[in-house]
Amino acid sequence: MAATECTKVRLWRWRRNPLKRRSDVIEAWVVLGVWLLAVLGGVFAGLAAADAVVGSAGRVRAETRQVTAVLVRDAEDPAAGRVTGDHLVWTKVRWTEPDGTIRTDEARVPPKAKAGGQVQVWTDRHGTVVNEPLSGAETTLHAVTGGLLAGAGAAGLVLGAGWVVRLVMERRRLEQWAAEWERLDTPWGWKTG
């Protein structure tokens, strides 16, 4: 019995009711539309963001290749040079492109590596040293995270806009009620409160 009464209360704007105003019906449609748009927009935005991440990672993976490079000079002690977050240091390396061009660039290598040693580096199509492309698991993690954030952001924007519309409608409804009370309160020239 309690569930039926609760359902009736929740859906009161959709039922026949002599006290229901036009603004109540409009607000009910606005709420329904906002929630529908938030859910659908969030899903589509999340899927689009995840697809963009996967596509970008695939392009990067297609445009990069791993090459064997030779250290041109000794890698410095981490305390003396630029240290990356994974405790590698930057030093100059040299490698040969498939067309025979010899290239030189800076790459991250283990500290205290000696000149002449070999390291694996990733290069892009222009022959510039780049970071290793994302693995399949990393791509999935980035796609899921990006999709969730984009979906939540899109849904949040729609819900925020709906909240603002409801505030404006509420303010207008209160102004209308105040005007009606004013009209009903003063027919004889005196006020009741």
Side-chain angles (χ1 to χ4, degrees):
M1 185 81 166
T4 306
E5 289 175 17
C6 185
T7 304
K8 288 180 182 178
V9 170
R10 279 191 207 144
L11 301 175
W12 74 270
R13 288 186 173 115
W14 299 101
R15 294 179 29 227
R16 290 183 181 259
N17 185 340
L19 299 177
K20 180 172 60 176
R21 295 177 178 225
R22 184 170 181 256
S23 63
D24 295 328
V25 175
I26 292 171
E27 183 178 7
W29 282 106
V30 165
V31 168
L32 179 66
V34 163
W35 276 103
L36 222 103
L37 190 60
V39 169
L40 292 177
V43 167
F44 286 128
L47 290 175
D51 188 47
V53 168
V54 169
S56 174
R59 279 190 303 280
V60 168
R61 209 173 5 263
E63 293 177 358
T64 57
R65 62 188 177 85
Q66 191 176 23
V67 296
T68 302
V70 177
L71 275 72
V72 174
R73 62 176 182 244
D74 291 346
E76 298 177 5
D77 186 13
R82 293 188 305 169
V83 180
T84 62
D86 52 4
H87 305 291
L88 297 175
V89 295
W90 289 92
T91 193
K92 196 165 283 246
V93 295
R94 181 181 57 238
W95 70 96
T96 304
E97 292 285 335
D99 64 359
T101 308
I102 296 177
R103 297 221 181 238
T104 305
D105 200 353
E106 283 200 351
R108 300 181 316 166
V109 299
K112 299 183 182 176
K114 299 296 179 195
Q118 293 185 344
V119 292
Q120 298 295 318
V121 296
W122 288 87
T123 61
D124 63 8
R125 58 188 165 130
H126 304 294
T128 306
V129 174
V130 294
N131 290 331
E132 180 179 351
L134 297 176
S135 68
E138 290 170 328
T139 300
T140 301
L141 177 66
H142 285 215
V144 168
T145 304
L148 287 173
L149 289 174
L157 282 173
V158 171
L159 291 173
W163 180 69
V164 169
V165 168
R166 287 189 67 199
L167 283 178
V168 169
M169 291 177 70
E170 182 70 20
R171 179 177 292 162
R172 184 163 184 240
R173 185 171 32 244
L174 290 175
E175 288 171 357
Q176 289 173 346
W177 285 349
E180 286 181 29
W181 274 111
E182 187 69 29
R183 193 183 78 232
L184 291 173
D185 197 26
T186 60
W188 300 284
W190 51 273
K191 300 219 181 245
T192 58

